[in-house]
Amino acid sequence: MVKLEETPLPGVGVRHDFDGRYGKRVGVITHRDGRREIFVSRRDDPDACAQSIVLSDEEAEAVADLLGGSTITRHVSRLTQDVEGLAIDWLSMPGFSPYAGRLLGDTRMRTRTGASIVAIMRGGQAIPAPGPELPLLPGDTLVVVGTPEGVVRAAGLLSGEDSGAAG
Amino acid sequence: MPLAQLFLELGAVILALAFVGRAAGRLGITPIPLYLLAGIGLGAFMSLGDAPEEFIHIGAEIGAVLLLFTLGLEYTSQELRDNLHANRGVGLLDVGLNFTPGLLAGLLLGFTPLAAVLLGGVTYLTSSGIASKVLADLGRLGNRETPVILSVCVLEDVAMAAYLPVVAALLIGGTLAAVGVNVLVALAAFALAFFLALRYGPLLSRVVNVQSNEALLLSVFGLVLVVAGAADLLRVSAAIGAFLVGIALSGEVAERTRTLIAPLRDLFAAVFFVFFGLQLDLGAVPEVLLPAALLAVVTSITKFYTGWWGAARAGVQARGRFRAGATLIPRGEFSILIAGLGLGLAPTLGPLAAEYVLLTALIGPVLARFDGQLAPLLDRGRPGETQVG
């Protein structure tokens, strides 16, 4: 998990960046008018940009798709609301998860954590109300609803940290 | 016949500006100093008739109003609040280091105290227009020092919004008590308007946000002029009224207005700079060259230190600190705007400000190119700071 830093740029937009594993800072500036600017820092001067590329809204979406992210999750996550006692989270399905490639029913998510999988995002498409016979694939994003603790347990379950937990 | 003359002369002037603007683009510098030079040249070598001069004068006033309006439009009220909160330290250092030299120089040159206060404003204000353009054009928005630079600009712009009404009140003059009352009234009016803009901005934005671009442009431009006029009647300074309208508009309507009004602003702002150059007393130009140069050197150093210090506080390394300092050096549109207020007070203030803006606009960008070579030299002297090795 990369540690993403968010910095407001007054009059310009917002910058998100992280220190990449290969020694360069990588980030995206979201301009107010919707343009995205991707940049990488220089190796000898990590404060400075070596290169930056400005993308239109559509181009940014295409690049996001190529990189395997689903732009839908980003749009949906804006809807997150804080309702007392109810939590919604978007959990990604890592490749090392014990449930990658297995059926959704195998997780026995609701029985074990009290949280339900209400939708799955896959390849830019949403699968609402998935049945227990649906296979889970690495790279899926699961929309999980439940109590805040339940959602935390669900995250543990999917990443295999917490497989013994009972609800 | 007067119409033909007006069109011919005005057209020639604007075409000349287009040429100057292209030259500036090719040299990679801001056109503002060149517009000033064009105005000075115009004043020296040919004289416009009364009609064109009158038109240019009004155009210049509209230019000043639109400059402030688009400045207010740049920022959301949230950004202003956050910045005031988070960057007080740099902001105060900035005022102390960069306002004072101008003020002192003004007093040393024998200006009236008010003219000296204006000169303080001239040396204080970094050109946020130049800084943000440089950052965007050179692909430096992702740099770590960039938020510091932008924050300093935001704070200066807010400080300017409070400074202008005070100066406007001082310009009215009168006895000490009357001036005090005027200043208090101006500040109160400003605070009230600022509060209203923050509070009811969203409402105003909804009302103004009409579908048609034409209707939007007309309502915004009309609103700006009406508020600016009202502010001028209240003697708060027209430009501040415009600035507050800009602050009040937010969200989608601000976004659309910005693109719609930019060409209008560019046109009238260019006229504003030319008009300023036109008004300058050329006899005073050589006389103030030395003070202008000294002031440019001193305030380049103080401004540089402001940026260096702010960037260091944000954990940026020497080269980034160097860039932050150098980027803040150029003064521009707002220095000219402030100097324009005092042309009647001190005849040498105008030429001094013009030369000063020209010099700083050259020093900053040139210095910024040598960050790799010069930054390590500066950093060596201060081993206590974050030298990661």
Side-chain angles (χ1 to χ4, degrees), chain B residues 39-129:
Chain B
I40 293 174
L42 207 64
F45 301 116
M46 58 186 273
S47 85
L48 292 172
D50 282 348
E53 188 143 358
E54 178 71 3
F55 184 87
I56 287 185
H57 184 171
I58 295 170
E61 296 292 338
I62 295 179
V65 162
L66 286 183
L67 270 176
L68 263 288
F69 170 64
T70 44
L71 179 68
L73 215 51
E74 275 298 310
Y75 307 119
T76 62
S77 46
Q78 188 61 43
E79 283 174 348
L80 290 181
R81 265 187 293 235
D82 291 352
N83 255 296
L84 280 175
H85 204 72
N87 296 300
R88 269 170 311 195
V90 191
L92 288 175
L93 182 78
D94 189 20
V95 178
L97 281 185
N98 297 298
F99 189 85
T100 323
L103 183 72
L104 290 179
L107 294 174
L108 284 177
L109 287 169
F111 285 4
T112 62
L114 178 53
V117 168
L118 288 175
L119 189 56
V122 170
T123 59
Y124 166 52
L125 281 159
T126 290
S127 168
S128 47

Side-chain angles (χ1 to χ4, degrees), chain B residues 33-45:
Chain B
L34 298 182
Y35 291 159
L36 287 178
L37 285 179
I40 293 174
L42 207 64
F45 301 116

Side-chain angles (χ1 to χ4, degrees), chain B:
Chain B
M1 208 24 119
L3 191 63
Q5 192 207 357
L6 172 69
F7 282 179
L8 283 172
E9 296 196 356
L10 208 58
V13 168
I14 292 175
L15 276 178
L17 291 187
F19 180 73
V20 160
R22 286 172 65 170
R26 188 151 307 170
L27 293 171
I29 60 171
T30 154
I32 293 168
L34 298 182
Y35 291 159
L36 287 178
L37 285 179
I40 293 174
L42 207 64
F45 301 116
M46 58 186 273
S47 85
L48 292 172
D50 282 348
E53 188 143 358
E54 178 71 3
F55 184 87
I56 287 185
H57 184 171
I58 295 170
E61 296 292 338
I62 295 179
V65 162
L66 286 183
L67 270 176
L68 263 288
F69 170 64
T70 44
L71 179 68
L73 215 51
E74 275 298 310
Y75 307 119
T76 62
S77 46
Q78 188 61 43
E79 283 174 348
L80 290 181
R81 265 187 293 235
D82 291 352
N83 255 296
L84 280 175
H85 204 72
N87 296 300
R88 269 170 311 195
V90 191
L92 288 175
L93 182 78
D94 189 20
V95 178
L97 281 185
N98 297 298
F99 189 85
T100 323
L103 183 72
L104 290 179
L107 294 174
L108 284 177
L109 287 169
F111 285 4
T112 62
L114 178 53
V117 168
L118 288 175
L119 189 56
V122 170
T123 59
Y124 166 52
L125 281 159
T126 290
S127 168
S128 47
I130 297 180
S132 54
K133 192 160 165 33
V134 162
L135 293 176
D137 289 355
L138 300 183
R140 283 174 47 194
L141 285 175
N143 284 18
R144 252 197 206 124
E145 75 276 5
T146 293
V148 177
I149 299 172
L150 292 174
S151 296
V152 168
C153 290
V154 175
L155 290 181
E156 287 181 0
D157 296 340
V158 175
M160 156 125 150
Y163 168 88
L164 275 184
V166 171
V167 170
L170 290 174
L171 280 169
I172 300 170
T175 64
L176 201 60
V179 167
V181 170
N182 280 338
V183 168
L184 282 182
V185 169
L187 277 180
F190 168 70
L192 180 71
F194 200 69
F195 171 75
L196 288 177
L198 290 186
R199 184 85 195 257
Y200 295 104
L203 181 71
L204 179 70
S205 303
R206 266 204 304 281
V207 173
V208 173
N209 199 4
V210 285
Q211 274 287 311
S212 129
N213 278 344
E214 189 183 341
L216 177 66
L217 178 65
L218 293 178
S219 18
V220 169
F221 191 43
L223 184 68
V224 168
L225 288 184
V226 165
V227 174
D232 199 51
L233 271 183
L234 295 171
R235 304 183 145 181
V236 183
S237 147
I240 284 309
F243 178 76
L244 290 169
V245 177
I247 294 286
L249 294 179
S250 57
E252 192 200 336
V253 65
E255 205 57 64
R256 288 175 58 204
T257 305
R258 202 173 300 144
T259 41
L260 282 176
I261 214 129
L264 211 56
R265 186 230 14 227
D266 292 344
L267 176 64
F268 284 114
V271 170
F272 171 77
F273 296 122
V274 170
F275 184 68
F276 183 84
L278 207 59
Q279 283 175 303
L280 292 186
D281 170 16
L282 282 185
V285 166
E287 180 191 323
V288 289
L289 195 55
L290 186 65
L294 279 176
L295 203 55
V297 169
V298 169
T299 58
S300 290
I301 294 170
T302 53
K303 198 55 123 175
F304 181 87
Y305 182 72
T306 308
W308 176 283
W309 189 80
R313 234 179 38 141
V316 174
Q317 303 286 304
R319 282 181 68 176
R321 294 179 204 171
F322 189 92
R323 284 189 300 267
T327 309
L328 286 172
I329 290 176
R331 317 300 204 275
E333 58 277 32
F334 299 116
S335 298
I336 296 302
L337 205 128
I338 290 174
L341 294 173
L343 286 183
L345 291 172
T348 52
L349 180 61
L352 180 60
E355 288 167 14
Y356 175 77
V357 166
L358 277 168
L359 287 171
T360 53
L362 283 177
I363 294 175
V366 169
L367 204 58
R369 288 191 191 166
F370 295 102
D371 59 332
Q373 292 81 1
L374 295 176
L377 301 178
L378 286 174
D379 201 39
R380 203 165 290 161
R382 29 183 82 239
E385 291 186 359
T386 50
Q387 269 276 30
V388 180

Side-chain angles (χ1 to χ4, degrees), chain A residues 25-36:
Chain A
R25 203 159 50 88
V26 183
V28 172
I29 298 161
T30 310
H31 289 253
R32 286 233 201 100
D33 55 11
R35 284 176 304 144
R36 266 16 92 67

Side-chain angles (χ1 to χ4, degrees), chain A residues 115-137:
Chain A
S116 307
I117 300 173
V118 296
I120 295 176
M121 308 291 186
R122 178 176 295 165
Q125 301 273 317
I127 309 170
E133 70 293 344
L134 192 87
L136 297 174
L137 303 179

